[in-house]
Amino acid sequence: MAHSDVQREETRPDVRPSEGPGPETSGRHGRRRARRKHRLLRWSATTLAVLILGSACGGYLYYRHLNGNIRKGERSSGDSKAHKTEANAAGQTPLNILLIGSDSRNSAENVKLGGSRDNRGNPPLGDVQMLIHLSADRKSAAMVSIPRDTRVDIPKCKDPDTGRTYEATTDIINTSLARGGAGCTLATWQNLTGVYIDHWMTIDFSGVVRMADAIGGVNVCVRQNVWDRPTAAVPGGSGLKMRAGTHKVQGKEALQWLRTRHAWGSDLMRARAQHMYLNSMIRTLKGQNVFTDTPRLMDLAEAATKSLKVSEEIGSVKKLYDLGMQLKSVPTDRITSVTMPNVEDPRNRDHVIPDGANADKLWEMLRDDVSLDKNGKASKAKKTTEATEAPSAPDGEIGVLVQNATASSTLGPVSGRAGTITQALVRKGFSQASKDATAGLSEDRTVVRYPSADLEGDAQRIAKSLGIPLSSVKKSTDVSGVTLVVGADWRTGTAYPKQSAAKAGDLPGNSDAINGSDTGQCMDVYSVYRW
């Protein structure tokens, strides 16, 4: 009924008030109450909608605020040709993230925390470098450190911020950050290890302090009283001072723990102390109900987004949250921390270099996604280690180019390898084999590459004739025909050396492995820094 009709009905002359409240009078009062009720409902619904919309807008604005905190940069800024590990039988791939701690003094806050005012304005160095490896099935993880004073080959890099190009050089690995940013450090790691790295994250002194405060502190342990201070013989020091035993550190004290080097005796022991801290931090976060405690979660989100600079493909709160949840799902007894096996650098006793076969074994385990611990169960999924053989042309019609890429980070190339293997192929009937005279190539592992599906069978035939596993035959757009790249793993002979498969937990003895569930770890203090 229209509103005007209601008004006419209420003023009809045949309504007799003297007869008392009849049915029509009751109807008028009922309609008024109904209208007031409807107005109340409309007001309540409008208020509720405003509150919901306000909360949603507030949440959206806060999400935008957090995203705005995040600084981003190019994933890679250097020459590198590392390839992603192939998916396992379930279609899963491992995830590798490079964590870089910079010594930047380019802010008053960092100078206050890190001293060395004379270094303000200088390009930062990557004094902490650690690869976080999550297995394809997300059931195990590894934290792998390379000491900052490791001499390595740094590739040609272009700084994405300044446009400056840095030519390839040999130097200690912490200088790579100053030669093209985190993307150059990532490329350096890839060339050294052969491990494809998906993302990088950097954090500076003030970022460490913010994160340590947001977490609320983590437990660390020293066996003797420690004071990392300047001495008559050695200047500097982190300032860390604590008594023997277990202590909860946060804020500036957490930064001092992570920066301490002299009191532990070496940069290698600093890596161990950092592993202890991170393991303790992971245990602490797992023991807290962070994801059901909104204020704590907001504090952590604020600290993390203000503290980190990340490669652009993970430059959002959602993607960082997803990464955190993937790491959170790994049990602590399946997390292993190690330091790259190393030996003294013959050129400079203050530096180190990778320890040949031991370092190569660690890199192989990471490339092949072999867990560094022995606590996992064998997968029931059928492993597909070999590719299906494809048809090939007759041996004499297969064209193949052989390249010498036997140079490694610690050893120079073996002269004449391309010619030797080419001759061996010709003797086997591959008359169209030829050698590539390009010098300076470097590949950790031998590989046969082909550009298109019609040449896959030819590439497999070349590999099979030399004993190279079919899993080392790869499709690649970097080649125009079948190309055999003789890597650093094949330095002698004409038959590819049989490779023994790496086993879970079978780590080199000098990798200083620590399990994430080990709460009994405690640092020894170098006698000069005891008090």
Side-chain angles (χ1 to χ4, degrees):
M1 181 180 293
H3 180 69
S4 57
D5 293 334
V6 172
Q7 292 294 330
R8 285 195 298 272
E9 180 176 332
E10 288 178 342
T11 57
R12 284 186 309 180
D14 59 342
V15 175
R16 296 182 294 274
S18 62
E19 293 181 2
E24 290 186 345
T25 305
S26 298
R28 286 198 302 274
H29 288 291
R31 281 189 289 274
R32 287 171 185 160
R33 285 195 297 270
R35 285 198 300 273
R36 284 197 296 271
K37 183 177 180 181
H38 290 158
R39 283 197 297 271
L40 180 62
L41 287 174
R42 283 197 301 272
W43 181 88
S44 300
T46 302
T47 303
L48 182 60
V50 169
L51 289 173
I52 292 173
L53 184 59
S55 299
C57 287
Y60 172 68
L61 291 174
Y62 185 65
Y63 180 78
R64 284 188 61 186
H65 161 72
L66 292 177
N67 274 332
N69 286 343
I70 302 172
R71 294 164 295 144
K72 300 181 280 289
E74 288 185 10
R75 176 190 157 271
S76 178
S77 58
D79 293 339
S80 178
K81 293 184 179 180
H83 300 280
K84 286 182 72 73
T85 300
E86 293 185 3
N88 61 15
Q92 303 163 314
T93 56
L95 180 67
N96 294 300
I97 306 165
L98 183 61
L99 178 63
I100 305 168
S102 85
D103 72 345
S104 171
R105 273 95 172 179
N106 293 335
S107 71
E109 189 176 7
N110 279 341
V111 169
K112 183 179 179 181
L113 292 168
S116 296
R117 289 170 175 79
D118 293 342
N119 290 327
R120 183 163 185 174
N122 291 346
L125 301 174
D127 279 353
V128 178
Q129 300 187 19
M130 190 179 303
L131 183 70
I132 311 299
H133 172 87
L134 284 173
S135 64
D137 60 10
R138 303 299 190 264
K139 292 181 179 178
S140 68
M143 296 189 292
V144 183
S145 291
I146 292 181
R148 69 169 191 173
D149 293 329
T150 303
R151 178 170 60 85
V152 296
D153 293 328
I154 300 174
K156 180 179 179 180
C157 294
K158 183 176 181 180
D159 191 313
D161 296 326
T162 66
R164 179 178 175 181
T165 297
Y166 297 84
E167 295 301 324
T169 188
T170 298
D171 205 341
I172 56 176
I173 198 167
N174 74 336
T175 64
S176 60
L177 187 64
R179 299 177 60 83
C184 187
T185 303
L186 179 144
T188 301
W189 268 74
Q190 288 194 159
N191 290 345
L192 174 66
T193 67
V195 176
Y196 181 89
I197 300 174
D198 300 273
H199 318 296
W200 56 255
M201 299 181 182
T202 66
I203 188 168
D204 59 14
F205 296 154
S206 58
V208 170
V209 171
R210 276 194 296 268
M211 288 297 295
D213 282 338
I215 291 167
V218 300
N219 289 331
V220 296
C221 176
V222 287
R223 288 197 171 92
Q224 303 88 17
N225 294 351
V226 60
W227 187 8
D228 192 53
R229 65 198 185 280
T231 67
V234 182
S238 70
L240 179 70
K241 187 176 184 180
M242 64 173 56
R243 293 189 178 277
T246 300
H247 303 270
K248 179 176 283 189
V249 295
Q250 63 185 97
K252 184 176 180 179
E253 193 174 25
L255 176 64
Q256 290 173 333
W257 176 273
L258 293 169
R259 293 188 65 212
T260 294
R261 175 170 53 124
H262 302 314
W264 310 141
S266 71
D267 194 47
L268 304 179
M269 291 300 99
R270 173 162 67 173
R272 177 186 292 182
Q274 291 166 351
H275 292 160
M276 290 181 189
Y277 178 91
L278 289 173
N279 284 333
S280 181
M281 182 186 75
I282 291 170
R283 291 194 299 268
T284 299
L285 289 173
K286 281 179 171 286
Q288 298 173 344
N289 295 320
V290 173
F291 296 98
T292 58
D293 186 342
T294 301
R296 284 292 323 283
L297 183 58
M298 291 175 69
D299 286 346
L300 281 170
E302 189 75 30
T305 55
K306 282 185 176 179
S307 301
L308 297 171
K309 183 176 181 179
V310 302
S311 50
E312 56 195 1
E313 71 286 345
I314 54 168
S316 74
V317 173
K318 182 182 185 305
K319 290 178 180 177
L320 290 175
Y321 177 85
D322 290 343
L323 287 178
M325 291 302 291
Q326 291 183 63
L327 182 59
K328 180 178 179 288
S329 68
V330 180
T332 53
D333 69 343
R334 300 297 316 280
I335 300 174
T336 308
S337 304
V338 298
T339 299
M340 176 196 73
N342 58 85
V343 294
E344 184 179 292
D345 183 356
R347 299 185 190 176
N348 185 334
R349 62 179 300 178
D350 292 329
H351 298 163
V352 298
I353 58 174
D355 180 17
N358 283 331
D360 288 343
K361 184 177 183 180
L362 176 60
W363 307 145
E364 180 185 0
M365 293 179 77
L366 293 174
R367 288 192 300 262
D368 293 345
D369 197 28
V370 177
S371 63
L372 303 193
D373 70 280
K374 297 180 179 179
N375 299 329
K377 296 180 180 179
S379 174
K380 294 181 180 179
K382 183 179 179 181
K383 294 183 178 180
T384 55
T385 56
E386 292 294 344
T388 302
E389 289 191 48
S392 66
D395 292 354
E397 297 178 12
I398 296 176
V400 56
L401 183 68
V402 183
Q403 295 179 333
N404 182 355
T406 52
S408 70
S409 59
T410 55
L411 298 170
V414 180
S415 178
R417 284 300 286 160
T420 298
I421 300 302
T422 298
Q423 292 170 11
L425 285 168
V426 171
R427 288 195 297 271
K428 290 176 177 290
F430 297 94
S431 57
Q432 295 193 40
S434 61
K435 70 175 183 179
D436 184 354
T438 304
L441 300 177
S442 176
E443 291 275 356
D444 290 302
R445 304 173 85 175
T446 297
V447 63
V448 183
R449 297 192 172 112
Y450 63 94
S452 54
D454 60 309
L455 293 178
E456 181 179 9
D458 292 359
Q460 290 179 341
R461 176 68 189 129
I462 292 294
K464 190 173 182 179
S465 70
L466 296 169
I468 300 170
L470 294 186
S471 57
S472 295
V473 177
K474 309 287 186 182
K475 186 177 180 180
S476 172
T477 57
D478 294 333
V479 296
S480 57
V482 176
T483 304
L484 167 57
V485 184
V486 182
D489 60 343
W490 190 11
R491 300 178 67 83
T492 61
T494 55
Y496 185 69
K498 290 186 177 181
Q499 308 289 311
S500 56
K503 297 180 181 178
D506 187 20
L507 283 165
N510 59 343
S511 58
D512 197 26
I514 300 175
N515 187 273
S517 63
D518 186 352
T519 59
Q521 291 289 325
C522 206
M523 290 299 296
D524 279 309
V525 180
Y526 183 42
S527 59
V528 177
Y529 297 93
R530 298 176 187 176
W531 61 283

